[in-house]
Amino acid sequence: MDDVDIVARQLGRRPRAFRAVAVRCPFGRPAVTEQAPFDEDGRPFPTEFYVTCRHLVAALSRLEAEGGVERWTRAAAEDERLDRSLANADAEQRRLRPELEAGIGGSTRGGSLKCLHAHAAFALARPGYELGDRILAELPALWPDDCCTDL
Ligand SMILES: [Zn+2]
């Protein structure tokens, strides 16, 4: 089974705009993928790095359901250091994919972070993104035993 097959099982569908595996979990399974700026139908794909690990997706979704997007958007607005890390990461994303104007997860400067999955994925794929690292630090455990090896 190749990486695309495993990602398809993680997502429950064939991945769109798949480019490569960017991060693997300690069990060797894809955890974050690198995405092309446009999918096979020419539609923009706003997320450069995409979480595919089911456990990580679920943990981040729980954080979002508890108001995490609003809370971290506010934290970035109120904390100069976090705001700077966000600006740097947004700039890095534009350098990596100049085809699209938007920042991480399709966010715009001064607006909502939009999607915690996109920020967490960026932090895992491009170490040193402090805001994303702080979001990841709120999760109970990144990789449960055996993670996605049952797929
Ligand atoms: Zn996993």
Side-chain angles (χ1 to χ4, degrees):
M1 195 161 51
D2 68 11
D3 284 337
V4 176
D5 291 326
I6 296 170
V7 171
R9 290 183 182 212
Q10 288 173 314
L11 302 178
R13 58 172 169 77
R14 300 301 294 173
R16 289 196 294 129
F18 174 89
R19 194 171 254 176
V21 174
V23 178
R24 290 178 191 277
C25 72
F27 306 95
R29 289 293 190 256
V32 174
T33 56
E34 184 185 340
Q35 300 294 123
F38 298 98
D39 72 10
E40 294 70 11
D41 299 322
R43 288 176 295 181
F45 198 96
T47 307
E48 162 95 23
F49 298 110
Y50 196 82
V51 178
T52 63
C53 169
R54 299 169 302 161
H55 304 284
L56 193 50
V57 168
L60 288 160
S61 295
R62 277 195 294 276
L63 205 57
E64 289 190 344
E66 296 161 7
V69 174
E70 297 74 16
R71 186 163 52 80
W72 280 108
T73 297
R74 209 163 45 239
E78 289 168 358
D79 183 319
E80 198 179 318
R81 191 176 152 138
L82 287 181
D83 184 57
R84 201 170 337 115
S85 90
L86 174 61
N88 287 341
D90 278 341
E92 189 178 358
Q93 156 136 325
R94 286 195 196 86
R95 190 173 54 72
L96 290 169
R97 45 162 42 187
E99 300 89 343
L100 296 178
E101 180 54 33
I104 294 170
S107 61
T108 49
R109 189 87 192 115
S112 166
L113 293 181
K114 289 188 98 163
C115 171
L116 297 185
H117 301 76
H119 292 270
F122 198 94
L124 287 168
R126 310 290 293 187
Y129 173 32
E130 185 176 349
L131 176 59
D133 284 339
R134 293 272 302 276
I135 292 168
L136 285 169
E138 289 199 316
L139 304 180
L142 279 195
W143 323 110
D145 285 348
D146 301 334
C147 210
C148 297
T149 52
D150 58 332
L151 290 176

